[in-house]
Amino acid sequence: MPDLLAALDPEQRRVAEALRGPVRVLAGAGTGKTRAITHRIAHGVATGVYAPTEVLAVTFTTRAAGEMRSRLRGLGAGGVQARTFHSAALRQLRYFWPHVYGTELPTLIESKIGLLATAARRHRISADQALLRDLASEVEWAKVSNVLPDDYARLAAARGRSVTGHDHDTVGRIFAAYEEVKRGQGRMDMEDVLLLTAGMLAEDERVAAQVRRQYKWFVVDEFQDVSPLQSALLDLWLGGRSEICVVGDPAQTIYSFAGANASYLLDFPAKFAGTTSVELVRNYRSTPQVVEAANRLLAGAPGAGGGLQLRAQRPAGPEVTFAARPDEVDEAEHVAAAILRLRDQGRPLSQIAVLFRINAQSEAFEEALSSRGLPYVVRGAARFFDRPEVREAVTRLRGAARSGQVADGPEALVEAVRDTLSGMGWGPEPPTARGQTRDRWESWQALVDQAAEFAAAGTDELPASLGAFVDELDRRASEQHAPVAEGVTLATFHAAKGLEWDSVFLCGLQDGTLPITYADTPAAIEEERRLLYVGMTRARLDLALSWALARQPGGRGSRRPSRFLGPLLPEEHTAPEAPRRNRRVAGCRECGKPLTTGAEKKRGRCTDCPASYDEALFEQLREWRKQRAADESVPAFVIFTDATLQLIAEHRPTSPEALLRINGVGRSKLDRFGEDLLALLS
């Protein structure tokens, strides 16, 4: 079989030649694990060790299963079954259930939401869609973890589980009612597919024997994501045999909250005596610079995090970059400007990704990309203004604006937005648990932050008002809904797992966001570190990491870079921060009095102090801004605020470098407006 194995490196070849189980493959990111296991299966078929119909390859997503089937066909092993756990179990259940029980198989439901709503009403609990989705996730965790309704309250409390706004006993009662409603309607959910298959195999030896005659050789991919229920079903399929090959990476365990348990991978040799264990560490995806940074990230974990030390196989590439930005808007602007440069250099937009911790972070990047005409795709979630909670919020804000009962002015605008969203369930403090309730709050909080930003940027010619703010939201929504052929990928770290791009921007890497605030145990914090590792190892060539010192423009820059970045940051980013109590209060450069508002601090002087700038030039700049805003169909403040134009008129910069030193002129605005400004100033 020299031709079949010739394309493999030494470690991959060891995997392909280890045809008899048990075999464990620890495969680091980008090390060719799918190549290794598909060649192993094809080699077994070609040598006659395996009959194709007697092999079952199992993975976790239909996309991964489809890719595996495609590769196996190309290697001459097209008769091999490659399926997800649920697909394989459902196939067996549909075939055997009528013969074993003499009844129709319960109907598979697409969603738990309707049944959970009925269960909640039985206990007189009002549950909105976000709470119902959180309850659905909790029921899924309980069932894949083999936790029964009667045991839920005790075990959930011991394992740190929570559903915002409800105690463990209440959730346990809703769980029990859900099971009763489901059974009463002759339905089953996706977890039942595994539970019923496992129960059928355990109860009926004839069925178990027939399944074991059918499948004699097992391969399980992404084994670090196996749940207790999946492990139990796999044991029943094996029936005491050890002809199994498992593949996984403990450093990519990022679904523990959903029931995944990496101990099945780590403890595999203890369960199966005589295990052949192979490590794949040659990384073919990323440059040495990316690989080194990923290795250093894991090296900072307690006990090295159980990860492998990757060895890069690609030629050297650009250095990994790190950037602290004043606020999230500025961070998004810089990322979008960098993407524009990459596109102009020939990089396809489909080979660029912006990754972040939570879905609500996408809006700033959607806006920054849209303003440059750069198409994008949000992966794993709806675009920001398509999200139900955002659509409803904008509708309510529009109604409040039309009522005419909201006064104009920055404070009135922000207060009106907060009051409107409070009526929907928003509060100043976030929910303490993960889930849809938390995600919805983050979306609303993003609108509150946008209102504060809009209010701070108001001018005499465009005063801050609720109506103007709603118009601005409508503009953003319309621009961000343009059809996309090929675009930049926006995704959370979770949604990016298993994917790769030439250029990757990891954003929002500040403590409190990564690790996220509700990661409050050592195990949860280390899972956040692994999330960052997954994000870093998506990059082939370019990797840029950034964080924002404040959430919104004008906010106090008190955030710190993620603690995980400590071993990676260059010296200029690791200087200790001075204690806040010793920080100087900004003073007016004209009279020396403390500056109190964001506009005063940006301008560097009190509002009442005489202007030290060229007022005629300032009026010229305002006229230029008005024309440019009309050309681009955007509000004038989107081009530059009055405060920034005053600084330009005062300092009269004569070079791009001098323009960059003006507050409010970032790299992206320099690229867009610098030539016009310098021509006008000359």
Side-chain angles (χ1 to χ4, degrees):
M1 306 311 310
D3 291 339
L4 190 58
L5 303 182
L8 306 182
D9 68 28
E11 293 79 23
Q12 292 170 346
R13 186 170 184 131
R14 279 191 63 202
V15 173
E17 293 179 333
L19 296 178
R20 303 302 300 265
V23 177
R24 180 186 70 167
V25 183
L26 297 179
T31 57
K33 66 180 177 66
T34 305
R35 169 186 288 268
I37 58 176
T38 52
H39 278 72
R40 177 182 185 270
I41 294 169
H43 181 45
V45 170
T47 55
V49 176
Y50 307 156
T53 55
E54 295 177 349
V55 180
L56 179 60
V58 186
T59 187
F60 282 80
T61 67
T62 54
R63 182 183 64 82
E67 180 184 352
M68 194 176 292
R69 285 194 297 271
S70 176
R71 292 202 190 192
L72 288 169
R73 282 195 300 270
L75 295 170
V80 171
Q81 292 287 316
R83 296 181 174 272
T84 64
F85 268 100
H86 287 92
S87 172
L90 184 59
R91 190 166 182 256
Q92 295 171 21
L93 203 57
R94 283 174 170 159
Y95 180 79
F96 289 110
W97 185 273
H99 302 293
V100 174
Y101 299 107
T103 62
E104 290 292 322
L105 183 66
T107 303
L108 180 63
I109 60 174
E110 294 184 2
S111 169
K112 296 180 177 66
I113 299 299
L115 298 181
L116 277 168
T118 302
R121 285 196 297 272
R122 285 191 177 184
H123 290 281
R124 298 183 179 179
I125 293 171
S126 176
D128 58 23
Q129 287 294 308
L131 175 57
L132 290 172
R133 288 195 292 268
D134 287 346
L135 288 169
S137 296
E138 198 63 10
V139 168
E140 288 165 13
W141 168 80
K143 296 181 78 165
V144 302
S145 301
N146 290 325
V147 174
L148 299 174
D150 289 346
D151 299 326
Y152 173 83
R154 174 176 56 85
L155 294 176
R159 300 185 194 180
R161 307 290 301 187
S162 63
V163 174
T164 299
H166 296 279
D167 59 36
H168 296 110
D169 287 327
T170 300
V171 176
R173 288 195 295 273
I174 295 173
F175 179 14
Y178 164 79
E179 291 296 316
E180 292 171 3
V181 171
K182 180 165 55 66
R183 282 194 299 270
Q185 296 184 9
R187 308 287 187 88
M188 65 177 178
D189 58 28
M190 290 299 287
E191 291 71 47
D192 289 331
V193 171
L194 304 185
L195 283 164
L196 294 176
T197 304
M200 184 176 64
L201 293 171
E203 292 171 6
D204 196 305
E205 278 299 323
R206 294 171 303 170
V207 172
Q210 190 168 340
V211 170
R212 290 164 192 161
R213 283 195 301 271
Q214 172 70 56
Y215 296 119
K216 299 176 181 176
W217 316 91
F218 292 86
V219 176
V220 186
D221 194 10
E222 301 288 1
F223 202 67
Q224 77 278 351
D225 291 334
V226 163
S227 69
L229 176 55
Q230 289 164 335
S231 177
L233 177 59
L234 189 58
D235 286 344
L236 286 163
W237 281 341
L238 284 166
R241 298 169 295 174
S242 59
E243 294 299 349
I244 179 172
C245 171
V246 301
V247 189
D249 181 6
Q252 296 189 67
T253 304
I254 59 173
Y255 290 107
S256 297
F257 67 90
N261 192 334
S263 66
Y264 295 116
L265 174 65
L266 296 171
D267 299 340
F268 187 86
K271 180 176 180 177
F272 292 93
T275 292
T276 299
S277 194
V278 183
E279 294 184 356
L280 301 183
V281 296
R282 300 175 196 252
N283 179 285
Y284 297 96
R285 175 185 299 156
S286 307
T287 63
Q289 287 80 358
V290 172
V291 168
E292 181 188 1
N295 283 338
R296 277 190 285 141
L297 174 71
L298 285 190
L308 301 170
Q309 189 79 5
L310 299 176
R311 299 206 306 268
Q313 305 298 301
R314 292 189 66 148
E319 293 298 323
V320 177
T321 64
F322 302 86
R325 299 299 177 195
D327 53 71
E328 293 181 3
V329 174
D330 186 81
E331 181 182 24
E333 288 290 323
H334 275 80
V335 168
I339 290 172
L340 189 60
R341 289 193 295 273
L342 284 170
R343 187 204 64 180
D344 292 344
Q345 293 163 10
R347 182 64 46 80
L349 293 180
S350 61
Q351 287 302 321
I352 302 173
V354 180
L355 308 182
F356 33 77
R357 178 61 180 84
I358 58 174
N359 284 321
Q361 290 173 273
S362 75
E363 201 282 330
F365 299 99
E366 293 182 52
E367 167 68 7
L369 292 170
S370 295
S371 70
R372 290 165 175 77
L374 293 170
Y376 62 87
V377 178
V378 181
R379 185 178 180 87
R383 296 182 177 209
F384 183 79
F385 286 102
D386 283 339
R387 294 168 195 166
E389 65 272 16
V390 175
R391 287 203 309 268
E392 182 184 354
V394 173
T395 299
R396 292 196 183 197
L397 290 170
R398 186 178 294 109
R402 288 174 177 168
S403 72
Q405 298 176 0
V406 179
D408 288 347
E411 293 183 5
L413 162 61
V414 176
E415 187 62 30
V417 172
R418 291 165 68 98
D419 287 348
T420 300
L421 297 183
S422 294
M424 298 177 65
W426 172 86
E429 295 300 321
T432 55
R434 71 162 66 241
Q436 292 292 330
T437 301
R438 173 76 183 228
D439 291 346
R440 184 179 60 179
W441 181 90
E442 293 284 0
S443 294
W444 288 335
Q445 182 63 40
L447 290 173
V448 173
D449 291 338
Q450 288 175 32
E453 176 193 345
F454 186 85
T459 64
D460 292 340
E461 66 182 45
L462 188 68
S465 69
L466 184 57
F469 178 58
V470 171
D471 289 344
E472 169 66 3
L473 294 180
D474 288 342
R475 178 193 67 79
R476 292 189 180 202
S478 64
E479 290 185 358
Q480 293 173 19
H481 289 170
V484 174
E486 179 194 74
V488 178
T489 299
L490 303 180
T492 64
F493 294 120
H494 282 103
K497 187 172 184 290
L499 304 174
E500 57 187 79
W501 297 269
D502 286 345
S503 301
V504 173
F505 296 84
L506 306 183
C507 304
L509 304 183
Q510 57 270 340
D511 256 354
T513 304
L514 191 80
I516 203 155
T517 50
Y518 52 72
D520 54 3
T521 66
I525 288 171
E526 286 311 305
E527 183 137 323
E528 296 286 300
R529 184 195 302 271
R530 294 193 294 270
L531 260 183
L532 179 56
Y533 176 82
V534 166
M536 293 174 69
T537 53
R538 300 310 94 197
R540 298 190 193 105
L541 300 174
D542 309 303
L543 178 61
L545 295 83
S546 61
W547 58 97
L549 301 178
R551 184 157 189 160
Q552 62 194 46
R556 186 169 64 179
S558 57
R559 288 168 160 183
R560 306 300 304 274
S562 170
R563 68 195 73 175
F564 304 140
L565 299 182
L568 312 180
L569 288 178
E571 187 173 341
E572 62 265 27
H573 290 296
T574 57
E577 184 180 18
R580 290 181 187 173
R581 61 180 178 274
N582 293 334
R583 289 178 180 170
R584 291 178 55 205
V585 177
C588 173
R589 64 171 176 268
E590 304 293 341
C591 68
K593 291 181 180 178
L595 303 176
T596 56
T597 69
E600 285 183 344
K601 291 173 183 176
K602 191 169 186 177
R603 191 182 296 118
R605 59 180 176 79
C606 299
T607 304
D608 298 334
C609 283
S612 55
Y613 55 83
D614 183 331
E615 294 189 10
L617 175 58
F618 174 63
E619 290 305 320
Q620 285 182 280
L621 289 167
R622 280 167 58 107
E623 188 60 34
W624 165 83
R625 178 184 66 180
K626 181 179 178 182
Q627 184 60 50
R628 190 67 186 256
D631 292 343
E632 298 191 12
S633 300
V634 297
F637 76 88
V638 172
I639 307 297
F640 286 116
T641 64
D642 275 1
T644 298
L645 294 184
Q646 288 168 4
L647 286 172
I648 293 172
E650 179 177 352
H651 293 281
R652 302 184 71 99
T654 58
S655 68
E657 293 74 20
L659 260 177
L660 273 176
R661 290 194 286 271
I662 300 292
N663 271 323
V665 183
R667 176 64 63 179
S668 62
K669 291 197 175 183
L670 177 67
D671 292 343
R672 294 168 65 193
F673 310 124
E675 188 175 338
D676 282 2
L677 284 173
L678 292 173
L680 191 154
L681 289 165
S682 67

